[in-house]
Amino acid sequence: MASYHWLTPSRLLIFILAFSIISFILFSLSDDCTCATIDTLMVKHKFYVINQIDTHRFNRASLLNAGFKELSEDCSYIALHDVDLLPRNPAISYHYDNVLNGPHHVSSPELHPKYDYSKFIGGIMLMTCEQFQKLNGLSNRFWGWGREDDELYMRIQEANMKISRPEEISTGRKTFYHIHDKKKRKRDVKRLGNQHKESFKRDPETGLDNVQYSVRSTQELSVNGAEGILLHVMIECDVTITPWCDDA
């Protein structure tokens, strides 16, 4: 692994990645991919890959909550990072200074290859551990794909936090690679029962403090010099609250 002069040597950034089938997209790229690798961003970092192994529908928010609770104590700030979104512009910053005054949305609506609505905060979000705790993480009610980030936006607004976004990035919608194979990884967009209606509401009851999960096994990762931990996790579902956690 190359040696760099870290811009924030005393600050450890931990990437939390949630998935239901192990993916190493963030670590290993095809030869023709000219991405800005994490090492070139000069940030001390570590990866936590949270792999959902239960039989319920995918729950990204609960996996991120579980991953946060398992973090090492020396974590300074986190990146809630989609596994299929990769920076291709080295001007994109993951530095700690970005989160001094609030969460930093790296993949802003002006730069994301697909999503451009003004309240969009998905893809890649940086925040301090304290900020994530103040928000009580994310809602645990979102089973299947989508909308947990929109509920997180409500939490951030309610907490009067200011969201910053990258400035002076000239690459527009070519700033990131969005590596998603729709045939191999079909998204679960089903809305069962009253799930659709409930997904537009602010959830004041669930979050980081009451996510129910168990870690079944862990593995240390070292891919292309990047250190990390792979956690195989089972998420619990209370069907009286979210009966849509399983397919009908």
Side-chain angles (χ1 to χ4, degrees), residues 121-167:
I121 59 168
I124 308 170
M125 173 69 86
L126 307 182
M127 64 178 74
T128 66
C129 296
E130 291 78 10
Q131 290 162 2
F132 192 74
Q133 290 170 324
K134 182 177 180 180
L135 296 172
N136 194 24
L138 295 96
S139 167
N140 297 311
R141 293 184 174 180
F142 290 82
W143 299 88
W145 181 82
R147 295 212 57 84
E148 75 282 345
D149 291 316
D150 295 325
E151 199 276 345
L152 178 61
Y153 180 86
M154 297 181 193
R155 294 181 181 225
I156 293 173
Q157 295 298 304
E158 189 176 280
N160 294 316
M161 293 185 186
K162 181 180 179 181
I163 301 172
S164 63
R165 287 171 168 149
E167 298 179 354

Side-chain angles (χ1 to χ4, degrees), residues 32-181:
D32 60 349
C33 178
T34 56
C35 296
T37 64
I38 300 302
D39 272 347
T40 64
L41 303 179
M42 296 185 291
V43 173
K44 185 180 179 183
H45 63 278
K46 190 172 185 178
F47 292 96
Y48 275 63
V49 181
I50 318 302
N51 184 43
Q52 184 175 344
I53 62 171
D54 55 70
T55 59
H56 299 308
R57 300 169 69 194
F58 181 57
N59 191 324
R60 175 178 176 267
S62 288
L63 290 172
L64 294 175
N65 285 337
F68 183 87
K69 293 177 79 73
E70 298 296 323
L71 295 185
S72 57
E73 294 182 358
D74 54 351
C75 170
S76 301
Y77 63 126
I78 60 174
L80 306 178
H81 209 299
D82 281 358
V83 297
D84 56 6
L85 195 64
L86 295 162
R88 57 191 299 192
N89 184 340
I92 289 296
S93 171
Y94 285 76
H95 300 146
Y96 181 76
D97 289 351
N98 290 318
V99 296
L100 289 176
N101 298 315
H104 181 68
H105 186 210
V106 179
S107 53
S108 65
E110 298 81 12
L111 304 178
H112 194 282
K114 187 174 182 179
Y115 303 109
D116 60 0
Y117 58 96
S118 61
K119 296 181 180 180
F120 171 69
I121 59 168
I124 308 170
M125 173 69 86
L126 307 182
M127 64 178 74
T128 66
C129 296
E130 291 78 10
Q131 290 162 2
F132 192 74
Q133 290 170 324
K134 182 177 180 180
L135 296 172
N136 194 24
L138 295 96
S139 167
N140 297 311
R141 293 184 174 180
F142 290 82
W143 299 88
W145 181 82
R147 295 212 57 84
E148 75 282 345
D149 291 316
D150 295 325
E151 199 276 345
L152 178 61
Y153 180 86
M154 297 181 193
R155 294 181 181 225
I156 293 173
Q157 295 298 304
E158 189 176 280
N160 294 316
M161 293 185 186
K162 181 180 179 181
I163 301 172
S164 63
R165 287 171 168 149
E167 298 179 354
E168 299 181 1
I169 301 295
S170 61
T171 45
R173 302 203 179 279
K174 295 182 179 180
T175 302
F176 298 93
Y177 283 104
H178 193 213
I179 308 171
H180 184 85
D181 190 321

Side-chain angles (χ1 to χ4, degrees), residues 168-200:
E168 299 181 1
I169 301 295
S170 61
T171 45
R173 302 203 179 279
K174 295 182 179 180
T175 302
F176 298 93
Y177 283 104
H178 193 213
I179 308 171
H180 184 85
D181 190 321
K182 294 181 179 180
K183 293 182 179 179
K184 292 182 179 180
R185 288 181 51 222
K186 293 182 179 180
R187 287 173 171 160
D188 176 4
V189 296
K190 297 184 293 294
R191 296 294 182 260
L192 306 176
N194 64 341
Q195 181 181 7
H196 177 77
K197 179 181 178 180
E198 292 297 315
S199 68
F200 286 87

